[in-house]
Amino acid sequence: MSYVTSQQEGSILLMTLNRPEALNALNAQVLEDLDKALDGVDLETVRCLVITGAGDRAFAAGADIAAMADMDPEAAAAFSRRGNAVFRRIESFPLPTIAAVNGYALGGGCELSMACDIRLCSENAVFGQPEVALGITPGFGGTQRLMRLIGMGKAKELIFSARTVKATEALEMGLVNGVYPAEELLPAAKKLAARIVRNAPIAVRACKAAMNEGVDQAMDEAIVTEVREFSGCFASEDQKRGMQAFLNKQKNIEFLNQ
Ligand code: CO8
């Protein structure tokens, strides 16, 4: 029995946090199972990950408060390091990732969604980093990723006040890319994934690497990163196929991931 289930549909892998009785709260076992689910991704056949939560109430309502209540600073550091390591692995995973946020994404749940490349959410979604109301800081990347996504001022407002935001406000502040009625969320995430996986996988991966690396670099260094990723594509079969197809006015070509 795992707290994370994986279901492959063509070249899209749907990963579901499966602990609905606790609103998919993240304890050590859920983090472990998430890590194992990433180990199990077949990079030959999967081209995009969609991550969601089981049930109709929550993506994840945070790190498990019951599990954290009696931690000392050493145990808290170990838990924070573990969560950060798994989320960093998701952020730098060599495939595009979409969070389909179906309800609460609080604390660690918001942090998990932010480790994904793109966030789509349901109309009943609620985002926030309410940790200071519990006497702690965000500990799975929230103090770092929220400000990168929505800007320092807004991020400080939300984190210092522990205020949560509903889907429409999350959309306005750029935290999510789209809001859908609950039943349309997964279809919309899969539709976006299907659009992504039609493109040359090596090029998509290279774009992700260039953007993830470049965002923390000075522009002169970031351009070097882009040149590396751009030129690397020219060693692929798919670059030749893609460009030949254009020149031959061929449509709907299939990329080989080679
Ligand atoms: N941890 C553990 N259990 C949870 C959590 C959680 N974060 N959230 C919900 N649950 C459980 C509830 O205890 C309840 O269980 P039970 O039925 O056994 O009592 C069940 O899920 C359903 O929840 P509620 O009854 O509370 O449902 P409501 O509809 O009344 O409320 C809320 C929904 C508003 C989402 C509410 O559950 C809530 O406020 N949850 C906590 C949200 C929160 O504060 N999240 C942040 C947690 S801290 C964090 O994520 C820090 C990350 C970094 C950690 C670093 C490590 C050191």
Side-chain angles (χ1 to χ4, degrees), residues 21-23 25 57 61-65 76 79 104 107-108 111 130-131 134 139:
E21 66 283 3
L23 301 185
R57 300 206 52 220
D64 191 312
I65 298 170
F79 191 46
Y104 290 111
E111 291 167 309
E131 285 87 346
L134 296 166

Side-chain angles (χ1 to χ4, degrees), residues 150-242:
I150 66 169
M152 181 72 92
K154 266 281 161 207
K156 282 182 173 167
E157 179 203 324
L158 292 190
I159 289 176
F160 295 175
S161 67
R163 182 167 78 82
T164 58
V165 297
K166 293 187 178 149
T168 43
E169 192 176 350
L171 181 65
E172 275 163 24
M173 56 177 57
L175 185 52
V176 296
N177 294 27
V179 180
Y180 302 86
E183 65 282 5
E184 289 171 27
L185 173 65
L186 264 191
K190 288 180 188 174
K191 192 170 164 198
L192 175 59
R195 229 199 127 96
I196 292 172
V197 303
R198 281 212 299 269
N199 298 310
I202 291 169
V204 173
R205 280 208 296 274
C207 291
K208 174 166 175 170
M211 293 164 92
N212 276 9
E213 209 171 311
V215 73
D216 292 321
Q217 290 174 325
M219 189 53 87
D220 288 329
E221 208 186 331
I223 285 166
V224 174
T225 302
E226 183 178 83
V227 171
R228 186 196 69 213
E229 294 301 330
F230 172 74
S231 57
C233 293
F234 286 76
S236 72
E237 187 61 31
D238 282 342
Q239 173 268 327
K240 289 163 190 57
R241 285 174 76 85

Side-chain angles (χ1 to χ4, degrees), residues 19 42-43 49 61 90 94 98 157 159 162 182-183 212 219:
R19 200 188 169 207
D42 177 6
L43 295 174
L49 299 186
I90 291 171
I98 301 172
E157 179 203 324
I159 289 176
E183 65 282 5
N212 276 9
M219 189 53 87

